[in-house]
């Protein structure tokens, strides 16, 4: 399958599950993903160290979930953010996002072709979306282009384990059996949630993603695995 065709197939899949996406996320993570997202926001704000931010862009924003956390964590820390932007290639996801998040601008767009000006943004985030970007290195270079000097990129993603740990059988059971069954039941789209463990298995280890970020001009500032390494938070800064 050609790269363009593969990317279009992934986008169409997300169009199909948009209406049930939030519910499936909460059920599949037992709600823990909310804490992971908050941690990413807090750590980026802490490292950036600014009380006034011109723009935060959430890429592969889906239904806009992470934008709500960016706003709420900023308010809690007394940080003023002038503009929030959600970017996603899925029209179906953006329809849900616009109804849910009324303070942000939403734009149809790809991670590897960001509709953002050069050095215009302080923070770019992408949660559980980078593994779905076929041209990942192009996307990381785009993040670097659009960020202001010293700007932050925040990535939350399911990552493949470099070494099999004692908990690996439990993780495999959850990712390859329980997750597809429950996700398919909630969304009524079993194919979409069979794709998820396959996409993780084909994705990078944490060490490999860190290497790609550094090659794209970023300095790693924080890496934190969650829930036996199922999910990992990466926070990097434009050098």
């Amino acid at each position: 399958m050609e790269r363009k065709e593969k990317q279009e197939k992934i986008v169409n899949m997300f169009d199909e599950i948009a209406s049930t996406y939030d519910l499936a996320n909460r059920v599949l993570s037992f709600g823990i993903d909310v804490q992971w997202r908050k941690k990413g926001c807090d750590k980026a704000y802490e490292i950036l160290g600014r009380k006034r931010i011109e723009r935060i862009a959430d890429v592969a924003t889906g239904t806009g979930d992470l934008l709500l956390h960016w706003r709420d964590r900023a308010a809690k820390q007394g940080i003023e953010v002038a503009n929030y932007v959600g970017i996603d290639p899925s029209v179906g996801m953006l329809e849900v996002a616009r109804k849910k998040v009324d303070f942000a601008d939403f734009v149809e767009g790809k991670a590897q072709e960001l509709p953002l000006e050069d050095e215009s943004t302080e923070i770019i985030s992408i949660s559980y979306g980078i593994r779905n970007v076929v041209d990942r290195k192009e996307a990381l270079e785009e993040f670097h282009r659009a960020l202001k000097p010293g700007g932050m990129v925040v990535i939350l993603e399911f990552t493949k384990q470099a070494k099999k740990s004692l908990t690996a059988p439990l993780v495999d059971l959850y990712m390859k059996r329980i997750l597809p069954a429950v996700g398919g039941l909630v969304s009524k789209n079993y194919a979409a949630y069979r794709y998820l463990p396959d996409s993780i298995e084909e994705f990078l280890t944490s060490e490999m993603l860190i290497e790609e970020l550094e090659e794209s001009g970023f300095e790693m500032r924080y890496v934190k695995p969650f829930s036996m390494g199922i999910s990992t938070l990466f926070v990097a800064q434009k050098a």
Side-chain angles (χ1 to χ4, degrees):
M1 187 184 299
E2 292 184 4
R3 299 171 76 85
K4 184 178 180 181
E5 184 183 349
K6 182 179 180 181
Q7 191 70 77
E8 288 175 354
K9 185 176 180 181
I10 292 170
V11 172
N12 290 337
M13 180 192 71
F14 279 102
D15 282 338
E16 292 171 3
I17 63 173
S19 63
T20 58
Y21 187 70
D22 285 343
L23 175 60
N25 277 351
R26 296 297 94 81
V27 171
L28 290 168
S29 71
F30 307 101
I32 301 172
D33 68 301
V34 172
Q35 298 305 316
W36 301 343
R37 294 170 197 270
K38 288 179 180 178
K39 181 70 173 178
C41 296
D42 288 345
K43 186 55 67 171
Y45 284 144
E46 174 191 325
I47 296 170
L48 189 63
R50 301 176 188 174
K51 289 297 183 181
R52 162 81 184 179
I53 293 173
E54 291 297 324
R55 177 186 290 158
I56 295 175
D58 187 41
V59 181
T61 193
T63 64
D65 236 21
L66 190 55
L67 289 169
L68 294 170
H69 295 301
W70 282 122
R71 180 198 61 182
D72 294 347
R73 306 311 286 180
K76 188 169 184 178
Q77 298 179 40
I79 297 170
E80 180 185 353
V81 180
N83 177 233
Y84 296 93
V85 180
I87 301 167
D88 202 290
S90 167
V91 174
M93 286 289 187
L94 291 177
E95 286 178 359
V96 176
R98 289 188 178 102
K99 294 174 184 175
K100 185 169 105 179
V101 184
D102 60 3
F103 57 84
D105 298 319
F106 289 99
V107 185
E108 184 181 346
K110 300 176 181 177
Q112 57 270 46
E113 298 174 13
L114 292 179
L116 299 172
E117 304 86 1
D118 292 354
E119 299 190 350
S120 63
T121 307
E122 279 94 339
I123 296 174
I124 290 177
S125 59
I126 181 166
S127 57
Y128 306 105
I130 195 68
R131 78 183 183 286
N132 297 318
V133 178
V134 175
D135 298 307
R136 184 179 55 257
K137 291 187 178 181
E138 289 182 20
L140 296 180
E141 290 169 2
E142 271 289 271
F143 296 173
H144 192 274
R145 176 193 64 77
L147 282 170
K148 294 182 179 182
M152 313 298 301
V153 61
V154 177
I155 299 174
L156 263 170
E157 191 51 89
F158 298 113
T159 41
K160 186 168 66 175
Q161 302 304 299
K163 299 177 182 177
K164 291 296 182 182
S165 64
L166 292 175
T167 58
L170 284 175
V171 173
D172 283 347
L173 174 65
Y174 176 76
M175 298 304 293
K176 295 178 180 178
R177 295 281 184 265
I178 298 173
L179 187 149
V182 176
L185 186 65
V186 172
S187 69
K188 303 296 188 291
N189 188 320
Y190 289 90
Y193 285 91
R194 281 198 301 269
Y195 158 82
L196 180 57
D198 290 342
S199 70
I200 296 167
E201 194 61 33
E202 293 171 4
F203 192 58
L204 308 173
T205 63
S206 294
E207 292 77 12
M208 292 164 71
L209 183 55
I210 289 169
E211 184 177 337
E212 286 192 0
L213 280 161
E214 291 175 342
E215 288 174 354
S216 300
F218 290 100
E219 177 188 351
M220 293 308 305
R221 298 299 306 274
Y222 186 80
V223 180
K224 174 71 174 177
F226 299 108
S227 296
M228 297 181 289
I230 288 175
S231 179
T232 305
L233 168 64
F234 305 85
V235 181
Q237 190 165 27
K238 180 174 178 175

